[in-house]
Amino acid sequence: MATISVSSATVRATAASAPPPSSRFPSYSLDHFGTIKEKIDTRLHSSRRFFLPSVASLNLRKLRLQAQGADYSSLSPSEDADDAEDGDFSWSSIIPPFLFPALGGLLFGYDIGATSGASISLQSAELSGTTWFSLSAVQLGLVVSGSLYGALAGSLIAYPTADFLGRRRELIVAAALYLVGGLITGFAPDLVALIIGRFIYGTGIGLAMHGAPLYIAETSPSQIRGTLISLKELFIVLGILLGYLVGSIQISAVGGWRYMYGVSAPIALVMALGMWNLPPSPRWLLLRGVQGQGSLEDYKEKAINALTKLRGRSVTDKKNDKEIEETLTSLKAAYAKEEPEGSFLEVFQGASLKAFIIGGGLVLFQQITGQPSVLYYATSILQSAGFSAASDAARVSVVVGLFKLLMTGLAVLKVDDLGRRPLLISGVGGIVLSLFLLTAYYKFLGSFPLVAVGALLLYVGSYQVSFGPISWLMVSEVFPIRTRGRGISLAVLTNFGANALVTFAFSPLKELLGPENIFLLFGVIALLSLAFVLFYVPETKGLSLEEIEAKILK
């Protein structure tokens, strides 16, 4: 492919020898540039490569050079091809750095799905296979929410340790906690051991939900970063469906809850082995070098080797050096006037505070707009509409889960095409409409159950194309690299803290307000979240992490 590029040396040489302004444009008019650009775009489209943002940026540089009098006709095709392929990568090398961190999300979702069946099996006199099956409401609550408490603990642990451990080692630790927690839970001899296992497993959730989006964001090419991070949300939904499936298979087996929880252990082992064989994040390696944790040249060499493996390139490929130099330049600029380690509370200052307002606000509204409380009414709504499957809560869950999977897949396909803001605005708008429709159903339209069914599906679909995948995507993108580890840990803590708040407040609010008013409350909160997205959330599509920091947060 022959495209046009400009090296810095050529720019200086041609600019220095440029003709006077009056003679610049007759030879190289904008029409001439447009003709060349059309040919380039046609060849790019036919090649179906994934470095269009780099070429677009390159064409803009050419246009600026032409306006300044630089003669780009002397540029060689070989130089052009090198620059145009800055974003080139091998798909076979991209999949493992996404897949194994994404298993951390799948295991999070699996816990949600498996617990719904395990809580039934565990309390059955015939099927629990234990002598301590008669659980009080508090004991059952500790079993069900034990992983949530663990996730909160994992988020707190990640705040001071994330930058020290690094993204890869954090995910290895998370996989180990998943493995140990799953085994203890599956073989628990008594209730205390079961709760301890649930807590350990939950700690793995907290670390995985922090490390996975961070590792994927820092190792993915910017052209497909949004797709890959959003795809992690798809893995969470797949995990939920897998939990439901295992639950439905084992629900009639004696001690079936042990299998429901224990299936997570081999998946965690695969995750641990996969992460062990992946390289560290190149950005994290450079961060440690700039922070003075060792020789900068040594860390730079390690970062180049890591990037070579992550992109599937040759060791001698110059694109590796260029990408590392750009990241290193950004890091040095970020640390030029600051202490290497920074303040413990730096995340609440300047650009980091702005990023936390954006990311923390999204994950907060993700929880307090009713998810997953709205689904509490799914069975009764479908029953009122006459669907026979509604008599079986497990089947209803699977149907809703499949729809969630379908809509999440739609978001994954469109997030790098349409952008983050359009999906958020349309999705949150759909959430607002669905919640007000559910309010109207319980207040005025009780004789029209199809309205409630449509509103329920609208809510699920709108959530899965907006808050579901986009919130975590934005969280992984917006924080400056100085505070990215601590910032994401605070966002994860906000997410699970809000989750705990909604979980514990839902039952008393349901009794106090009734369904019509609780949906109205969620609708008002969703309306506020729509205003937040419109006025505070930026578009990050197509920007590298360094460009987001330079253009949006400054």
Side-chain angles (χ1 to χ4, degrees):
M1 182 191 309
T3 52
I4 294 178
S5 67
V6 180
S7 67
S8 58
T10 305
V11 172
R12 290 192 294 270
T14 53
S17 61
S22 60
S23 63
R24 291 174 185 170
F25 290 97
S27 298
Y28 303 103
S29 66
L30 293 178
D31 290 337
H32 177 66
F33 170 76
T35 302
I36 295 175
K37 181 179 183 300
E38 288 177 1
K39 294 178 180 179
I40 293 171
D41 290 342
T42 300
R43 297 184 70 174
L44 284 171
H45 179 73
S46 64
S47 66
R48 297 185 180 180
R49 305 296 286 272
F50 289 89
F51 42 83
L52 294 179
S54 298
V55 175
S57 176
L58 178 64
N59 287 337
L60 289 174
R61 292 201 302 271
K62 291 189 300 178
L63 187 55
R64 294 192 195 101
L65 290 169
Q66 185 180 0
Q68 294 167 1
D71 181 3
Y72 64 83
S73 62
S74 62
L75 301 178
S76 69
S78 60
E79 289 177 328
D80 299 344
D82 285 343
D83 269 1
E85 296 186 21
D86 281 344
D88 198 10
F89 55 86
S90 164
W91 273 104
S92 61
S93 62
I94 291 297
I95 293 174
F98 158 76
L99 177 62
F100 294 113
L103 288 179
L106 184 141
L107 287 167
F108 170 43
Y110 181 81
D111 181 69
I112 297 172
T115 298
S116 65
S119 60
I120 298 173
S121 172
L122 187 61
Q123 296 180 94
S124 170
E126 297 81 16
L127 300 176
S128 69
T130 69
T131 57
W132 39 274
F133 60 86
S134 182
L135 302 180
S136 67
V138 173
Q139 289 173 328
L140 181 61
L142 287 173
V143 172
V144 172
S145 61
S147 61
L148 178 58
Y149 291 123
L152 287 169
S155 304
L156 290 171
I157 293 170
Y159 186 82
T161 64
D163 284 340
F164 167 74
L165 283 175
R167 304 18 171 159
R168 170 179 166 269
R169 282 186 290 186
E170 182 181 9
L171 286 169
I172 292 174
V173 172
L177 291 169
Y178 275 142
L179 178 60
V180 173
L183 290 174
I184 291 176
T185 305
F187 291 100
D190 53 41
L191 181 62
V192 174
L194 178 61
I195 294 174
I196 291 174
R198 298 284 294 141
F199 184 86
I200 293 174
Y201 190 97
T203 307
I205 292 175
L207 291 176
M209 294 306 291
H210 172 268
L214 193 53
Y215 186 87
I216 295 171
E218 291 190 352
T219 59
S220 301
S222 59
Q223 303 95 316
I224 58 170
R225 185 181 64 241
T227 298
L228 292 180
I229 299 176
S230 301
L231 199 58
K232 182 186 70 67
E233 175 69 19
L234 190 70
F235 269 63
I236 295 176
V237 179
L238 280 172
I240 294 173
L241 287 176
L242 180 61
Y244 287 150
L245 177 63
V246 174
S248 64
I249 294 172
Q250 294 294 327
I251 194 67
S252 300
V254 175
W257 61 273
R258 296 186 183 275
Y259 296 97
M260 296 177 202
Y261 283 133
V263 165
S264 62
I267 302 174
L269 182 60
V270 172
M271 176 185 170
L273 294 175
M275 290 306 308
W276 187 270
N277 289 294
L278 286 175
S281 159
R283 282 183 171 89
W284 176 77
L285 289 169
L286 294 175
L287 176 65
R288 299 303 282 172
V290 172
Q291 287 177 335
Q293 301 302 315
S295 168
L296 180 57
E297 286 303 315
D298 288 345
Y299 274 114
K300 182 179 174 181
E301 183 178 351
K302 291 177 181 178
I304 291 173
N305 291 334
L307 186 64
T308 298
K309 186 174 182 180
L310 290 166
R311 295 291 183 271
R313 296 170 179 163
S314 167
V315 177
T316 59
D317 197 324
K318 294 181 179 180
K319 291 189 286 290
N320 299 323
D321 295 336
K322 181 178 179 181
E323 191 169 337
I324 292 299
E325 285 295 342
E326 289 175 350
T327 303
L328 188 57
T329 299
S330 175
L331 274 171
K332 287 180 176 178
Y335 280 79
K337 299 180 181 180
E338 305 287 347
E339 291 295 324
E341 289 291 347
S343 167
F344 190 73
L345 298 177
E346 186 180 5
V347 73
F348 298 108
Q349 302 169 5
S352 296
L353 176 60
K354 182 177 180 180
F356 180 65
I357 291 173
I358 296 169
L362 284 173
V363 295
L364 176 65
F365 282 119
Q366 181 191 52
Q367 295 297 326
I368 64 175
T369 49
Q371 173 75 11
S373 303
V374 172
L375 298 183
Y376 176 90
Y377 289 95
T379 301
S380 62
I381 288 173
L382 292 174
Q383 282 177 332
S384 68
F387 289 90
S388 59
S391 60
D392 187 339
R395 293 179 185 175
V396 171
S397 298
V398 171
V399 170
V400 174
L402 287 171
F403 185 66
K404 284 165 68 72
L405 185 68
L406 175 65
M407 297 307 295
T408 306
L410 177 64
V412 169
L413 292 174
K414 291 298 182 181
V415 66
D416 279 324
D417 180 18
L418 297 177
R420 287 63 160 150
R421 274 178 59 85
L423 287 174
L424 275 174
I425 292 170
S426 59
V428 177
I431 289 174
V432 173
L433 177 60
S434 67
L435 289 168
F436 286 138
L437 281 174
L438 286 170
T439 301
Y441 169 73
Y442 280 101
K443 281 184 176 290
F444 318 113
L445 304 175
S447 57
F448 300 96
L450 288 180
V451 172
V453 174
L456 177 67
L457 295 178
L458 177 62
Y459 181 92
V460 171
S462 298
Y463 178 88
Q464 292 306 136
V465 300
S466 57
F467 278 144
I470 308 301
S471 294
W472 289 109
L473 169 58
M474 294 292 293
V475 163
S476 67
E477 291 180 325
V478 296
F479 283 99
I481 194 166
R482 279 181 63 91
T483 58
R484 189 168 294 147
R486 294 194 298 270
I488 293 180
S489 67
L490 280 179
V492 173
L493 182 63
T494 301
N495 176 270
F496 286 115
N499 189 341
L501 178 64
V502 171
T503 299
F504 291 121
F506 179 71
S507 292
L509 282 175
K510 178 171 65 71
E511 294 180 5
L512 178 65
L513 301 176
E516 66 278 7
N517 291 320
I518 199 169
F519 285 133
L520 179 61
L521 174 62
F522 283 142
V524 171
I525 296 173
L527 197 58
L528 292 174
S529 71
L530 180 59
F532 173 79
V533 170
L534 288 170
F535 291 107
Y536 286 98
V537 178
E539 180 58 74
T540 59
K541 180 185 74 169
L543 298 176
S544 70
L545 298 179
E546 288 74 29
E547 287 173 329
I548 292 171
E549 181 174 350
K551 296 179 180 180
I552 293 177
L553 299 179
K554 298 298 184 184

